[in-house]
């Protein structure tokens, strides 16, 4: 029988319980399923679940795994994960594929229970304004939210914020959809929109609202492709005299895919920016829009 979450019996070599847990209807399985569903959680519960090899690898690299669940059919990569968790003081449990599948249909034979802190805005702003932030209003789809976190990570953003009314960014599906990027940057959820934007603006960030009817055209506002820095190493400024300087510390604000940004959000923005659509697509989903806007800023900032 596997050891309880958070406990390791004395004398267990390498922090690995070599007995194979085989009861898919046990309370242990229900506990993990409840964590994934985030059902009955306390407000201060910092546990999140990483499902599948990619998310688990990134969680292990971040050093936040408390319990790693594996099937006995380890490959070399999973052995490395197990020893990394053991060396960091975590616990490794073996279970049948039926047990892992009962815990999560997305586990693919490996699942991790992690402890990941909520991020306060004061912590992020302690060292001055962040260069690049993504803020989401009324983002409801967990797959798109995870992809948006991945886009923010790829573009070098330091923070992704999901305001009150958004999907919970700590949900297992969001983490899985982020392909592990959840563990690479600060992610905050359930924070008030107005307080967040006012604080970021006061810290020196410009607030740009991505809006289909925005005054500024993203492609006209961004520097030419490849113009990452000037010869003297400085970052390029606004293009075309349009009044936007994407090299500044910037907060990009993204709204609901169907309804867009609220009037409140638009009122708090310094400028609105549209992404031009040249074909017949009605719009872009939030993850695609975030990718384009964040990369435009990353390019203007010289990927600093």
């Amino acid at each position: 029988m596997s050891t309880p979450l958070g406990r390791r019996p004395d004398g267990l070599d390498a922090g690995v319980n070599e007995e194979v847990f085989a009861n898919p209807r046990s309370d242990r399985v229900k506990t993990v399923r409840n964590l994934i569903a985030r059902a009955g959680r306390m407000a201060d519960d910092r546990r999140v679940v990483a499902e599948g090899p990619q998310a688990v690898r990134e969680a292990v690299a971040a050093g936040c795994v408390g319990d790693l669940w594996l099937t006995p059919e380890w490959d070399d990569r999973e052995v490395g994960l197990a020893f990394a968790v053991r060396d960091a003081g975590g616990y490794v449990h073996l279970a049948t594929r039926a047990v892992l599948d009962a815990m999560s249909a997305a586990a693919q034979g490996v699942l991790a229970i992690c402890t990941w802190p909520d991020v306060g805005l004061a912590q992020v702003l302690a060292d001055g304004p962040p260069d690049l932030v993504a803020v989401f209003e009324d983002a409801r789809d967990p797959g798109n939210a995870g992809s948006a976190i991945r886009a923010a990570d790829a573009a070098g953003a330091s923070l992704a914020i999901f305001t009150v009314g958004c999907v919970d960014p700590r949900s297992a599906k969001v983490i899985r959809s982020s392909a592990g990027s959840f563990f690479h940057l600060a992610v905050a959820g359930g924070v008030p929109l107005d307080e967040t934007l006012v604080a970021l603006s006061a810290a020196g960030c410009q607030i740009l609202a991505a809006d289909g009817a925005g005054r500024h055209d993203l492609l006209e506002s961004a520097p030419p492709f490849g113009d990452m820095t000037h010869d003297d190493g400085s970052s390029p400024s606004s293009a075309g005299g349009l009044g936007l300087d994407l090299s500044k510390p910037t907060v990009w604000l993204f709204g609901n895919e169907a309804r867009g940004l609220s009037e409140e959000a638009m009122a708090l923005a310094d400028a609105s920016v549209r992404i031009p659509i040249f074909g017949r697509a009605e719009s872009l989903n939030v993850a695609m829009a975030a990718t384009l806007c964040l990369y435009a800023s990353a390019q203007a900032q010289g990927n600093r």
Side-chain angles (χ1 to χ4, degrees):
M1 186 173 183
S2 181
T3 58
L5 283 172
R7 298 180 57 194
R8 170 163 39 193
D10 292 338
L12 182 63
D13 291 339
V16 180
N17 186 345
E18 297 191 10
E19 293 184 62
V20 179
F21 190 79
N23 182 3
R25 292 190 276 289
S26 71
D27 289 341
R28 194 49 162 319
V29 171
K30 293 176 184 176
T31 296
V32 177
R33 287 176 65 88
N34 283 339
L35 281 175
I36 292 173
R38 300 187 69 77
R41 300 172 66 96
M42 302 296 290
D44 61 350
D45 193 340
R46 301 294 180 251
R47 290 176 297 172
V48 298
V49 179
E51 307 162 288
Q54 178 64 27
V56 170
R57 281 196 298 273
E58 301 308 323
V60 170
C64 64
V65 175
D67 290 87
L68 178 68
W69 288 85
L70 294 168
T71 59
E73 296 77 32
W74 292 3
D75 61 26
D76 290 342
R77 180 174 57 192
E78 290 169 337
V79 170
L81 291 178
F83 278 92
V85 170
R86 182 281 315 268
D87 291 344
Y91 315 122
V92 180
H93 316 279
L94 298 183
T96 64
R97 186 59 182 253
V99 166
L100 266 296
D101 288 346
M103 288 178 174
S104 164
Q108 302 177 57
V110 58
L111 178 147
I113 311 300
C114 314
T115 300
W116 195 248
D118 281 334
V119 178
L121 199 55
Q123 296 171 263
V124 176
L125 298 178
D127 297 325
D131 290 333
L132 190 55
V133 177
V135 175
F136 300 92
E137 181 192 38
D138 201 24
R140 301 296 182 91
D141 183 86
N144 282 337
S147 295
I149 291 173
R150 188 176 183 181
D153 176 26
S158 57
L159 175 63
I161 298 175
F162 292 81
T163 59
V164 173
C166 287
V167 64
D168 184 350
R170 297 165 63 87
S171 73
K173 186 172 182 180
V174 171
I175 293 171
R176 184 172 72 250
S177 298
S178 80
S181 284
F182 176 88
F183 299 106
H184 296 167
L185 72 164
V187 179
V191 297
L193 175 71
D194 54 351
E195 293 179 18
T196 298
L197 295 183
V198 167
L200 287 165
S201 180
C205 295
Q206 64 177 343
I207 312 296
L208 300 182
D211 181 69
R215 176 184 175 191
H216 300 277
D217 183 302
L218 179 68
L219 297 189
E220 293 177 356
S221 302
F225 180 74
D227 185 17
M228 297 293 290
T229 57
H230 295 305
D231 291 340
D232 63 1
S234 62
S235 298
S237 60
S238 61
L242 298 178
L244 286 185
D245 184 354
L246 296 184
S247 69
K248 291 181 178 179
T250 298
V251 174
W252 277 101
L253 183 57
F254 305 99
N256 181 276
E257 291 184 9
R259 295 177 292 278
L261 288 164
S262 66
E263 292 183 6
E264 176 192 16
M266 294 296 292
L268 290 167
D270 297 309
S272 60
V273 183
R274 67 184 182 277
I275 300 172
I277 293 179
F278 303 112
R280 298 175 62 186
E282 187 274 330
S283 64
L284 300 173
N285 71 26
V286 68
M288 295 173 68
T291 301
L292 291 170
C293 294
L294 293 167
Y295 262 92
S297 284
Q299 185 175 330
Q301 293 174 356
N303 199 27
R304 61 179 180 237

